[in-house]
Amino acid sequence: MAKYDALETYLRSLAGDTVRLTFDEINKILPTRLPRSAYEHPPFWSNTEVGSSHVWADAWQGAGWRTVGHNLEQQYVEFRRFAAGPSGELQDHAQPLIEEDAVASGPIARDATRNEDRRNTSEDRQLASIWTRRGQQKFRGRLLRAYGSVCAVSGSTVEPLLEAAHIVPHALETNYAVTNGLLLRADIHTLFDLHLIAVDADGRVSVTRSLEWTEYAQFRGRRLVALPVDQAERPSPEQLKRHHNLFIAREEALDDEAPKTSRDELSCRPD
């Protein structure tokens, strides 16, 4: 069982829709203690898309919960139960999907209201998708101009392979400012989104240890090779730090697994 599976199991067992857990309480639930980043980096407690590289967020979201607040000084985190709607989106249990006052009496009227609600929701999603697509195209255009069509990490100038990467993901924050972006080659963009590659606030590249024996290890410790000439368009140090903190949290999660692996390997060695 992975470390954070214990937290998922615990949250699934709760009867209520809200809960506040102290870090000490979570440490008692987990087989080993929370990593240092949970105490020092607020992004550790961010919600992410299920199936991301953040296995700790997958644990509570997989159980149907999301974080709604935390306090590093007082060392606690607040969770609220959510449920997947008909299209897979998360919906707050605390808010009814249909207000009773708006529904006429009788099952036919209620069904009509539900159908209208689904139709409006579908139209809203389509409009949101259109605006997101248009925003992304303009975002890439601005980054291509700002970075001179050069990948900030690799220096690649093959423009069809260059993509606009959000530093703070669009799913967490709608921000198409050039300062919240990096122009990256497609493969590096993927690794950046997975927090396998990151850039610290000083513009130095970090690469996960899991890519140690790959061609990407060459970028570790390098400064960005391309930056906008206009200082006002350069990536925000605060946004880079926020992304880099999640990279650190993921690396520390790997550290949690390392001792167990080492013990298992040692137990299998012949005398």
Side-chain angles (χ1 to χ4, degrees):
M1 175 181 288
K3 171 176 178 175
Y4 296 97
D5 286 355
L7 178 59
E8 178 176 350
T9 300
Y10 175 82
L11 289 172
R12 287 185 184 277
S13 71
L14 297 181
D17 290 334
T18 60
V19 65
R20 174 186 289 189
L21 295 175
T22 66
F23 292 0
D24 283 343
E25 288 173 329
I26 294 175
N27 284 331
K28 292 176 182 177
I29 295 169
L30 300 177
T32 58
R33 292 180 59 82
L34 286 165
R36 177 171 53 86
S37 54
Y39 294 83
E40 299 178 359
H41 304 310
F44 180 93
W45 298 107
S46 298
N47 300 300
T48 61
E49 295 181 3
V50 175
S52 70
S53 59
H54 306 144
V55 292
W56 52 94
D58 278 359
W60 63 70
Q61 291 181 195
W65 294 75
R66 301 192 83 191
T67 56
V68 292
H70 62 271
N71 187 311
L72 298 190
E73 183 177 348
Q74 298 181 26
Q75 297 187 356
Y76 70 78
V77 58
E78 296 175 330
F79 296 93
R80 180 178 296 170
R81 190 189 299 275
F82 280 70
S87 61
E89 73 274 13
L90 292 175
Q91 298 169 336
D92 191 341
H93 269 206
Q95 299 295 329
L97 298 183
I98 302 173
E99 295 292 341
E100 292 298 330
D101 291 343
V103 181
S105 61
I108 296 178
R110 285 196 294 272
D111 288 344
T113 302
R114 291 191 182 97
N115 290 336
E116 179 67 15
D117 183 69
R118 292 193 186 98
R119 185 178 66 82
N120 290 338
T121 300
S122 178
E123 290 177 354
D124 289 343
R125 285 198 300 271
Q126 289 175 0
L127 287 173
S129 177
I130 290 170
W131 283 110
T132 298
R133 186 168 62 251
R134 289 178 178 174
Q136 186 68 16
Q137 290 172 350
K138 293 178 181 178
F139 186 46
R140 179 175 183 268
R142 291 197 297 271
L143 286 174
L144 284 169
R145 289 191 294 272
Y147 285 80
S149 297
V150 178
C151 170
V153 171
S154 70
S156 173
T157 58
V158 183
E159 189 168 310
L161 293 179
L162 302 181
E163 298 179 349
H166 286 83
I167 299 173
V168 176
H170 180 73
L172 298 181
E173 179 181 306
T174 302
N175 184 351
Y176 287 107
V178 174
T179 54
N180 186 45
L182 288 168
L183 189 68
L184 299 176
R185 197 174 68 199
D187 56 332
I188 295 176
H189 182 189
T190 297
L191 296 173
F192 185 82
D193 283 351
L194 293 173
H195 294 88
L196 298 174
I197 284 181
V199 180
D200 67 18
D202 295 324
R204 289 191 181 276
V205 179
S206 298
V207 179
T208 179
R209 298 189 304 280
S210 62
L211 295 176
E212 182 66 36
W213 306 110
T214 71
E215 64 270 32
Y216 300 104
Q218 65 181 301
F219 301 122
R220 182 181 293 117
R222 290 188 185 179
R223 290 192 178 275
L224 295 178
V225 297
L227 281 169
V229 175
D230 187 347
Q231 294 280 345
E233 292 187 326
R234 293 192 173 185
S236 162
E238 291 76 18
Q239 304 290 55
L240 287 174
K241 182 178 180 181
R242 182 177 174 184
H243 182 276
H244 193 263
N245 283 344
L246 284 173
F247 170 87
I248 293 173
R250 185 185 179 281
E251 291 297 285
E252 289 181 347
L254 293 178
D255 288 339
D256 289 339
E257 300 297 326
K260 180 179 184 301
T261 301
S262 298
R263 288 193 298 270
D264 290 345
E265 289 176 350
L266 287 172
S267 65
C268 294
R269 291 179 182 173
D271 294 335

